[in-house]
Amino acid sequence: LQCYLVIADDTVDTSETRNGFPCWYRYEGVGMRAIVDGQILGNSVYVLLKRHFSNHNCYASLIQLFREAAFQVTVGQIIDMLAVSKGKPQFNNFTMDMFKATASNKSAYAFFILPNIATMYLAEIYDEQLYRDTKSILFRLGEYLQVQNDMSDCYGNPEATGKKGNDIMHGKNTWLIGKALQNATKVQRRIIEEHYGKTELESQQKILAIYDSLHLLDYYLQYEEETYHQICEDVLKLPNKSLSNYLLNLTDIVFVRDTNNNSLSH
């Protein structure tokens, strides 16, 4: 399912690389056939679920969960696409609320909700309140992962990230542009509206210069620290200690923390 969603996302976004390799649609002889290949992968999920889990008590719940995840990620992709119309960024849609809606659907469901709630089903943990509390934590992890991805796209080393950044030239609705518009002066906003979404290197450099002048890296570091502590505090409130310990380790991995030490002091 993850592979199907990635193929669809890369094809729609006309991305160039993924994990250091060309995106699937860019391989010779593939092209738009990638859409069909993705459909095959996405639908094979239910063949595998039937083969391996049809005798489990949670079989119906697993099918519902996978379908819900695929639907929500697609909704996230649509919200993401609404940010650009006829090749032009729609700056009125570049709000933090729109960003969060995109992140919750695209990142949280695919990377966090689906695998972790599925695991709870298989572990026969049936507690609706615990599901809700766990989902709340997982949504915030997904949102942070999207923010982290946006920062990496703009400031990361392609050799290390395996992906060439193109958010600025494609006019994507990212955490960075949302924060920039939130804090920009009238002059800076005019520059953003003139140059954001342009392919010329000069335009991209002008946007980066505004990001730097608004100290967005400092905002990010503050957001990262506050979000990490808030998530850890909520994880520690969960009544299931095994789940709580697991989520603390997961949070440390996502935030690139020392997984040998779960103390909030670090």
Side-chain angles (χ1 to χ4, degrees), residues 3 68 78 95 106 110 155 165 209 216 245:
C3 190
E68 179 186 6
I78 291 171
T95 65
K106 285 187 69 175
Y155 293 106
L216 294 192
N245 288 334

Side-chain angles (χ1 to χ4, degrees), residues 73-107:
V73 173
T74 304
V75 169
Q77 183 68 47
I78 291 171
I79 296 172
D80 198 20
M81 292 172 67
L82 287 175
V84 180
S85 178
K86 296 180 180 179
K88 295 182 179 180
Q90 302 300 297
F91 293 104
N92 289 336
N93 289 333
F94 284 24
T95 65
M96 296 311 292
D97 285 341
M98 286 288 280
F99 167 78
K100 288 182 178 181
T102 304
S104 294
N105 287 287
K106 285 187 69 175
S107 295

Side-chain angles (χ1 to χ4, degrees), residues 217-235:
L217 180 58
D218 291 336
Y219 275 110
Y220 167 72
L221 293 174
Q222 180 182 356
Y223 159 80
E224 179 183 50
E225 195 65 21
E226 290 175 355
T227 303
Y228 174 77
H229 284 281
Q230 289 168 1
I231 289 175
C232 286
E233 287 172 5
D234 286 344
V235 168

